[in-house]
């Protein structure tokens, strides 16, 4: 079983970024060239960018009518200069909602790592792109860092809400995004590990309780909070704040919590918000 710590040590020893270690690993495992892998990742980045744009237009709504238009509302408030948390963070919220709304309305997205958590990584990446004026290659490298951590998570735990709860979906997406953000902002390989650990620790125990069994409520808004946690964790890591528990141990802990979690809280819509009075009414109205 692979460990993110091994990649950190290798990156530190060779003076490389995590993305370089992940890229070399994928070249060997998939037997593809660096150019081919960058081209493949470039297609993912393009879809992410398009889904943000479509979602921010406010024209997409889910079949149930529960989701749609909120991203545009947040973006409009941000552009009006009345945001409480500053334009970058407000913009990240809007972008995360945008992509998640596109998913809920059956649009094209990139599962990162899942469809239910698709808005977190694009929101973080494109927010930092605006802040740092990052180039395409930098964004793609950050995606490889996120993907590398995703590989580790799937091997040591899982990214399935049905198996591990929402901590496995939004939590993993937040950790992957934090690692990517740290590297994109110039942080060290060790700091990517701390950022990821801080983000994932903040999501441990999060249940998967989709109202009416749809990936809409509370899933879409959790993408926005996941992006905020990722950026907060990255900020702390870049400042030198360390996670007392290493990322690999946090991942293992997430897996154990998922095993202990009741099946009613793992995507079955039999517990949590799904069985609240309003949740039950929504289900009855929808069905």
């Amino acid at each position: 079983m692979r460990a993110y710590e091994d990649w950190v040590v290798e990156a530190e020893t060779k003076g490389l970024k995590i993305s370089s270690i992940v890229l070399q690993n994928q070249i060997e495992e998939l037997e593809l060239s660096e150019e081919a892998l960058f081209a493949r990742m470039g297609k993912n980045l393009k879809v992410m960018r398009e889904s943000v744009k479509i979602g921010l237009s406010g024209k997409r709504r889910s079949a149930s009518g529960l989701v749609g238009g909120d991203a545009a509302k947040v973006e409009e408030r941000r552009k009006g200069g009345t945001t409480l948390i500053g334009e970058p963070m407000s913009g990240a919220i809007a972008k995360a909602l945008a992509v998640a709304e596109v998913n809920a309305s059956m649009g094209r997205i990139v599962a990162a790592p899942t469809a239910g958590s698709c808005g977190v990584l694009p929101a973080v990446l494109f927010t930092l792109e605006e802040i740092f004026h990052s180039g395409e290659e930098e964004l793609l490298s950050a995606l490889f860092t996120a993907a590398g951590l995703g590989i580790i998570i799937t091997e040591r735990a899982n990214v399935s809400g049905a198996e591990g709860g929402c901590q496995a979906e939004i939590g993993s997406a937040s950790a992957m995004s934090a690692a990517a953000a740290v590297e994109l902002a110039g942080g060290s390989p060790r700091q990517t590990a701390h950022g990821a650990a801080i983000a994932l620790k903040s999501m441990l125990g999060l249940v998967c309780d989709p109202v009416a069994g749809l990936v809409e409520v509370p899933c879409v808004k959790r993408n926005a909070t996941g992006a905020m946690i990722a950026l907060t964790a990255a900020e702390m890591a870049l400042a030198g704040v360390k996670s007392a528990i290493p990322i690999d141990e946090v991942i293992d802990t997430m897996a154990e919590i998922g095993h202990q979690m009741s099946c009613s809280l793992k995507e079955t819509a039999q517990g949590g918000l799904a069985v609240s009075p309003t949740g039950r009414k929504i289900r009855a109205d929808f069905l």
Side-chain angles (χ1 to χ4, degrees), residues 68-216:
D70 287 342
K73 292 176 183 176
V74 175
E75 181 69 357
E76 183 179 359
R77 176 176 168 81
R78 181 183 74 86
K79 289 182 176 180
T82 56
T83 170
L84 293 175
I85 54 178
E87 286 196 25
M89 295 293 272
S90 182
I93 291 173
K95 292 176 179 66
L97 292 174
V99 180
E101 287 178 351
V102 169
N103 176 60
S105 61
M106 306 304 290
R108 190 172 182 224
I109 52 88
V110 175
T114 65
S117 60
C118 64
V120 182
L121 186 53
V124 170
L125 283 182
F126 295 134
T127 295
L128 294 185
E129 178 188 31
E130 293 173 357
I131 295 173
F132 297 119
H133 306 289
S134 307
E136 188 86 352
E137 187 171 341
E138 292 175 297
L139 292 173
L140 293 177
S141 293
L143 276 177
F144 277 108
T145 296
L149 180 59
I151 290 172
I152 299 295
I153 293 173
T154 56
E155 288 186 355
R156 302 186 73 93
N158 65 84
V159 295
S160 166
E163 187 173 350
C166 199
Q167 59 169 2
E169 294 204 30
I170 296 293
S172 296
S174 188
M176 292 162 60
S177 300
V182 170
E183 180 168 305
L184 193 57
S188 69
R190 179 67 56 187
Q191 287 174 323
T192 70
H194 286 304
I198 293 169
L200 189 54
K201 286 192 300 184
S202 302
M203 290 287 194
L204 292 180
L206 184 59
V207 302
C208 182
D209 51 351
V211 172
L214 305 170
V215 187
E216 299 182 21

Side-chain angles (χ1 to χ4, degrees), residues 29-47:
E29 286 196 3
L30 301 178
E31 297 182 348
L32 293 172
S33 66
E34 180 176 327
E35 293 74 18
L37 287 170
F38 264 101
R40 179 183 291 185
M41 195 64 85
K43 291 180 180 179
N44 291 333
L45 186 65
K46 182 179 179 181
V47 172

Side-chain angles (χ1 to χ4, degrees), residues 242-262:
K242 299 178 180 179
S243 172
I245 310 299
I247 179 58
D248 293 304
E249 292 183 33
V250 179
I251 294 170
D252 293 345
T253 298
M254 181 183 76
E256 183 59 31
I257 291 173
H259 294 150
Q260 296 173 358
M261 195 178 289
S262 168

Side-chain angles (χ1 to χ4, degrees), residues 13 21 127 151 158 160 180 212-213 235 246 265 269 287:
T13 301
I21 303 300
T127 295
I151 290 172
N158 65 84
S160 166
E235 184 76 359
L265 301 174
L287 298 178

